[in-house]
Amino acid sequence: MTLFDRFDESTPLTGRLAMGIEYDGSGYCGFQRLSHAASIQGTLEHALSRVANAPVQVHASGRTDSGVHATRQIIHFDAPASRSEKGWVFGANANLPRDIAVHWVTSVPDDFHSRLSALARRYRYVLINQLNPPVLERANVTWCRDPLDADAMHRAAQALVGENDFSSFRAAGCRSKTPWRHMHFLEVKRHGPLVVIDIQGNAFLHHMIRNVAGALTSVGRGARDEAYLGRLLALKDRQQGDVTAPARGLHFVDVRYDDAFALPREPLGPGLLLSTGEWTGERPIPDSRMVRLRRGRPRRAVEEGAT
């Protein structure tokens, strides 16, 4: 995918469709639809229902929290009407507010599920590290006025890479049945005044990334030593954890699926980082039982440990 691909105006798209979505989460209660507050899901469903002239229910690759942004959220829905690629994208965007946008739409097989088919999810937590508060960037970065040692943060973060029990980094109200997650990589880099925590895993617990960011910031300030995150991980106790970093610095930037689905690739966001890093983020995904199952390996072969 390039930045200037033209949308097809003639071929009808119906059946199961996937869409790439970008949004500023500042004014929403999160992705999931709620009856008492504005949500990304509810706003998308309203817009798509107007395009289709029929009710549309969407499913997302991940439920971002209140105030969290996304540059590549993937949704899917079963289209109740036939519209062209241009019709779906332009129609949706015409009915969406300025803080949500559809990037693309494509047909997918009936067994595709934006959440259950996902192999990896990637987030970036962006801190602006300077003495004065940000102005133009204030809604999508977290300000830290104390000097941060990004190299020390990176070294400390490596204790979390791999399959671990992340109980010390989950919210008290987290509903996940298990605290175990597989973190593929966790990198901390400085780009001028920006300190970026770049993290990918199979999935994440409620507030997990923001809790990791809070602990890493303590290391960066020099308030904690580099072994701090390893000690927190071993404690398996959120009550002994660090602060939860603000939502506004967190961006959902990528979700990976098996290549067979052939979903469009996009530049990694957020926009502040487009000139500093990877174009599409296509790194190898560590092998695991979940990855083999979602890539279509027979369940029996996976359970027997076949490679």
Side-chain angles (χ1 to χ4, degrees), residues 26-38:
S26 303
Y28 298 90
C29 65
F31 183 87
Q32 188 173 7
R33 184 194 324 105
L34 295 176
S35 60
H36 63 276

PDB file of all heavy atoms in Angstrom, residues 26-38:
ATOM      1  N   SER A  26      -9.004  11.087  22.684  1.00  0.00           N
ATOM      2  CA  SER A  26      -9.151  12.066  23.771  1.00  0.00           C
ATOM      3  C   SER A  26     -10.588  12.262  24.221  1.00  0.00           C
ATOM      4  O   SER A  26     -10.856  12.429  25.417  1.00  0.00           O
ATOM      5  CB  SER A  26      -8.576  13.417  23.339  1.00  0.00           C
ATOM      6  OG  SER A  26      -7.232  13.322  22.961  1.00  0.00           O
ATOM      7  N   GLY A  27     -11.522  12.250  23.281  1.00  0.00           N
ATOM      8  CA  GLY A  27     -12.901  12.553  23.623  1.00  0.00           C
ATOM      9  C   GLY A  27     -13.795  11.345  23.799  1.00  0.00           C
ATOM     10  O   GLY A  27     -15.032  11.493  23.793  1.00  0.00           O
ATOM     11  N   TYR A  28     -13.213  10.156  23.988  1.00  0.00           N
ATOM     12  CA  TYR A  28     -14.007   8.933  24.033  1.00  0.00           C
ATOM     13  C   TYR A  28     -13.714   8.120  25.289  1.00  0.00           C
ATOM     14  O   TYR A  28     -12.621   8.193  25.860  1.00  0.00           O
ATOM     15  CB  TYR A  28     -13.741   8.085  22.784  1.00  0.00           C
ATOM     16  CG  TYR A  28     -14.130   8.798  21.507  1.00  0.00           C
ATOM     17  CD1 TYR A  28     -13.213   9.598  20.826  1.00  0.00           C
ATOM     18  CD2 TYR A  28     -15.425   8.702  21.010  1.00  0.00           C
ATOM     19  CE1 TYR A  28     -13.576  10.272  19.666  1.00  0.00           C
ATOM     20  CE2 TYR A  28     -15.793   9.373  19.849  1.00  0.00           C
ATOM     21  CZ  TYR A  28     -14.862  10.161  19.185  1.00  0.00           C
ATOM     22  OH  TYR A  28     -15.223  10.830  18.042  1.00  0.00           O
ATOM     23  N   CYS A  29     -14.687   7.296  25.666  1.00  0.00           N
ATOM     24  CA  CYS A  29     -14.538   6.435  26.843  1.00  0.00           C
ATOM     25  C   CYS A  29     -13.681   5.213  26.546  1.00  0.00           C
ATOM     26  O   CYS A  29     -13.440   4.389  27.426  1.00  0.00           O
ATOM     27  CB  CYS A  29     -15.908   5.990  27.334  1.00  0.00           C
ATOM     28  SG  CYS A  29     -16.800   4.921  26.171  1.00  0.00           S
ATOM     29  N   GLY A  30     -13.204   5.104  25.326  1.00  0.00           N
ATOM     30  CA  GLY A  30     -12.443   3.945  24.880  1.00  0.00           C
ATOM     31  C   GLY A  30     -13.075   3.386  23.629  1.00  0.00           C
ATOM     32  O   GLY A  30     -14.011   3.975  23.059  1.00  0.00           O
ATOM     33  N   PHE A  31     -12.578   2.233  23.162  1.00  0.00           N
ATOM     34  CA  PHE A  31     -13.158   1.668  21.942  1.00  0.00           C
ATOM     35  C   PHE A  31     -14.537   1.089  22.189  1.00  0.00           C
ATOM     36  O   PHE A  31     -15.463   1.312  21.418  1.00  0.00           O
ATOM     37  CB  PHE A  31     -12.260   0.587  21.344  1.00  0.00           C
ATOM     38  CG  PHE A  31     -12.818   0.063  20.044  1.00  0.00           C
ATOM     39  CD1 PHE A  31     -12.515   0.692  18.854  1.00  0.00           C
ATOM     40  CD2 PHE A  31     -13.700  -1.016  20.018  1.00  0.00           C
ATOM     41  CE1 PHE A  31     -13.085   0.261  17.655  1.00  0.00           C
ATOM     42  CE2 PHE A  31     -14.265  -1.460  18.835  1.00  0.00           C
ATOM     43  CZ  PHE A  31     -13.952  -0.816  17.654  1.00  0.00           C
ATOM     44  N   GLN A  32     -14.694   0.322  23.258  1.00  0.00           N
ATOM     45  CA  GLN A  32     -15.910  -0.466  23.462  1.00  0.00           C
ATOM     46  C   GLN A  32     -17.143   0.414  23.657  1.00  0.00           C
ATOM     47  O   GLN A  32     -17.125   1.409  24.381  1.00  0.00           O
ATOM     48  CB  GLN A  32     -15.746  -1.385  24.666  1.00  0.00           C
ATOM     49  CG  GLN A  32     -16.875  -2.378  24.845  1.00  0.00           C
ATOM     50  CD  GLN A  32     -16.581  -3.378  25.945  1.00  0.00           C
ATOM     51  OE1 GLN A  32     -15.591  -3.259  26.659  1.00  0.00           O
ATOM     52  NE2 GLN A  32     -17.431  -4.374  26.091  1.00  0.00           N
ATOM     53  N   ARG A  33     -18.226   0.007  23.009  1.00  0.00           N
ATOM     54  CA  ARG A  33     -19.488   0.725  23.110  1.00  0.00           C
ATOM     55  C   ARG A  33     -20.022   0.724  24.533  1.00  0.00           C
ATOM     56  O   ARG A  33     -20.091  -0.315  25.195  1.00  0.00           O
ATOM     57  CB  ARG A  33     -20.513   0.085  22.175  1.00  0.00           C
ATOM     58  CG  ARG A  33     -21.836   0.798  22.107  1.00  0.00           C
ATOM     59  CD  ARG A  33     -22.946  -0.019  21.449  1.00  0.00           C
ATOM     60  NE  ARG A  33     -22.499  -0.859  20.347  1.00  0.00           N
ATOM     61  CZ  ARG A  33     -22.353  -2.171  20.431  1.00  0.00           C
ATOM     62  NH1 ARG A  33     -22.587  -2.797  21.583  1.00  0.00           N
ATOM     63  NH2 ARG A  33     -21.984  -2.869  19.374  1.00  0.00           N
ATOM     64  N   LEU A  34     -20.410   1.895  25.025  1.00  0.00           N
ATOM     65  CA  LEU A  34     -21.056   2.038  26.326  1.00  0.00           C
ATOM     66  C   LEU A  34     -22.315   2.871  26.157  1.00  0.00           C
ATOM     67  O   LEU A  34     -22.402   3.729  25.270  1.00  0.00           O
ATOM     68  CB  LEU A  34     -20.113   2.710  27.334  1.00  0.00           C
ATOM     69  CG  LEU A  34     -18.847   1.930  27.725  1.00  0.00           C
ATOM     70  CD1 LEU A  34     -17.987   2.778  28.655  1.00  0.00           C
ATOM     71  CD2 LEU A  34     -19.208   0.614  28.396  1.00  0.00           C
ATOM     72  N   SER A  35     -23.288   2.652  27.034  1.00  0.00           N
ATOM     73  CA  SER A  35     -24.565   3.356  26.909  1.00  0.00           C
ATOM     74  C   SER A  35     -24.489   4.787  27.414  1.00  0.00           C
ATOM     75  O   SER A  35     -25.287   5.645  27.000  1.00  0.00           O
ATOM     76  CB  SER A  35     -25.651   2.594  27.673  1.00  0.00           C
ATOM     77  OG  SER A  35     -25.306   2.493  29.053  1.00  0.00           O
ATOM     78  N   HIS A  36     -23.533   5.078  28.299  1.00  0.00           N
ATOM     79  CA  HIS A  36     -23.530   6.373  28.976  1.00  0.00           C
ATOM     80  C   HIS A  36     -22.452   7.340  28.491  1.00  0.00           C
ATOM     81  O   HIS A  36     -22.336   8.454  29.012  1.00  0.00           O
ATOM     82  CB  HIS A  36     -23.356   6.163  30.483  1.00  0.00           C
ATOM     83  CG  HIS A  36     -22.043   5.525  30.849  1.00  0.00           C
ATOM     84  ND1 HIS A  36     -21.853   4.161  30.814  1.00  0.00           N
ATOM     85  CD2 HIS A  36     -20.857   6.061  31.232  1.00  0.00           C
ATOM     86  CE1 HIS A  36     -20.617   3.884  31.178  1.00  0.00           C
ATOM     87  NE2 HIS A  36     -19.990   5.020  31.426  1.00  0.00           N
ATOM     88  N   ALA A  37     -21.645   6.945  27.504  1.00  0.00           N
ATOM     89  CA  ALA A  37     -20.563   7.817  27.048  1.00  0.00           C
ATOM     90  C   ALA A  37     -20.214   7.510  25.602  1.00  0.00           C
ATOM     91  O   ALA A  37     -20.488   6.416  25.094  1.00  0.00           O
ATOM     92  CB  ALA A  37     -19.329   7.640  27.936  1.00  0.00           C
ATOM     93  N   ALA A  38     -19.602   8.493  24.927  1.00  0.00           N
ATOM     94  CA  ALA A  38     -19.213   8.318  23.531  1.00  0.00           C
ATOM     95  C   ALA A  38     -18.071   7.315  23.417  1.00  0.00           C
ATOM     96  O   ALA A  38     -17.102   7.378  24.179  1.00  0.00           O
ATOM     97  CB  ALA A  38     -18.787   9.659  22.943  1.00  0.00           C
TER      98      ALA A  38
END
